[in-house]
Amino acid sequence: MRIVSLVPSLTEAVAATLPGALVGATDWCTHPAGLDVARVGGSKYPDLDRILALRPDVVLVNVEENREQDADALRAAGVELYVTYPRTVDEALAELGRLLAALGAPGEPDWLTAARAAWAALPAPTAPRRAVVPVWRRPWIVLGGGTFAGDVLRRVGVANVYADDPERYPRPSLADLHAQAADLIVLPDEPYAFTGDDGPEAFPGTPCALVSGRHLTWYGPSLAEAPTLLAAQLARTCH
């Protein structure tokens, strides 16, 4: 099996489960550290010729992270695609199990079993904090409705203010963000790299939590430690 992954979280999942099966990954596939495979450009603008030159048996893509036109071009070239699109934690766990089985994993990996247990052990939130969750600035873009990251936060006691927005990634003005009177601003370090000096100053008087974007948005081995790590990060706020 020769696998090219255009999805960072799936790159990590396959590398941890099927050593040697990956022959290509995007420039944004940063985990596991030291992964030695051919790089095929970005998730949004991959080098299709480079992918084809690797002669993959399957290319892993995601509806949200990759462009439909690239998927269509790969299909037209005779490449088999495995398409993912989880929007909840439960969907992600189920999707990972199906994917790894389809790729030839002999059984469920320990990290996936641990991830299932970690999320199943979480108590139901009793008093969720209302939060605005920016993922970009200039312009401001926030989590909207039907997102995987929104479900992750809901499970750890944070209610996304824009969870009912018809857009998955709305672009409200900063004034509109302030008008939400949120209890918390959640600032991940990807895709925009929010830091203590870049982000919190836009929300004076509102607690801000800096969190790991990988644990908030990736669905792979990071899911096993995400509940504990995110809960700790959400408890440490700055102004």
Side-chain angles (χ1 to χ4, degrees):
M1 179 71 74
R2 295 175 59 83
I3 302 168
V4 171
S5 173
L6 303 185
V7 187
S9 51
L10 297 183
T11 297
E12 184 179 18
V14 172
T17 309
L18 296 165
L22 275 172
V23 295
T26 75
D27 299 342
W28 301 108
C29 294
T30 56
H31 288 74
L35 180 65
D36 185 17
V37 298
R39 300 295 175 160
V40 297
S43 298
K44 296 294 185 189
Y45 299 97
D47 186 326
L48 300 184
D49 289 336
R50 195 177 304 173
I51 293 171
L52 295 174
L54 292 171
R55 296 178 291 105
D57 296 305
V58 63
V59 175
L60 311 182
V61 297
N62 174 270
V63 170
E64 184 171 287
E65 293 192 48
N66 308 117
R67 300 188 306 167
E68 186 174 3
Q69 64 205 70
D70 293 323
D72 289 343
L74 289 170
R75 285 194 186 97
V79 175
E80 180 180 346
L81 302 184
Y82 193 108
V83 183
T84 63
Y85 190 28
R87 280 151 286 183
T88 67
V89 171
D90 289 341
E91 287 180 5
L93 294 170
E95 185 87 77
L96 286 164
R98 290 192 296 268
L99 168 66
L100 295 172
L103 296 179
E108 180 164 290
D110 290 345
W111 63 261
L112 182 52
T113 301
R116 293 187 196 280
W119 287 99
L122 277 181
T126 54
R129 289 176 288 173
R130 298 176 63 258
V132 166
V133 191
V135 294
W136 202 261
R137 69 182 302 180
R138 305 182 191 96
W140 289 99
I141 303 175
V142 300
L143 285 186
T147 63
F148 170 74
D151 189 56
V152 167
L153 289 171
R154 180 189 64 80
R155 300 275 294 263
V156 296
V158 174
N160 177 15
V161 168
Y162 288 91
D164 295 326
D165 196 288
E167 292 189 43
R168 302 187 73 242
Y169 294 96
R171 299 189 176 203
S173 67
L174 185 58
D176 186 60
L177 297 182
H178 290 163
Q180 302 306 313
D183 304 316
L184 180 70
I185 309 297
V186 177
L187 299 171
D189 60 9
E190 63 172 72
Y192 186 92
F194 288 106
T195 67
D197 298 321
D198 186 353
E201 82 290 343
F203 303 94
T206 303
C208 294
L210 300 170
V211 303
S212 165
R214 172 170 165 256
H215 291 87
L216 179 61
T217 64
W218 288 32
Y219 52 105
S222 59
L223 279 173
E225 61 183 8
T228 301
L229 186 142
L230 288 173
Q233 293 178 331
L234 289 165
R236 294 194 301 268
T237 59
C238 59
H239 291 271

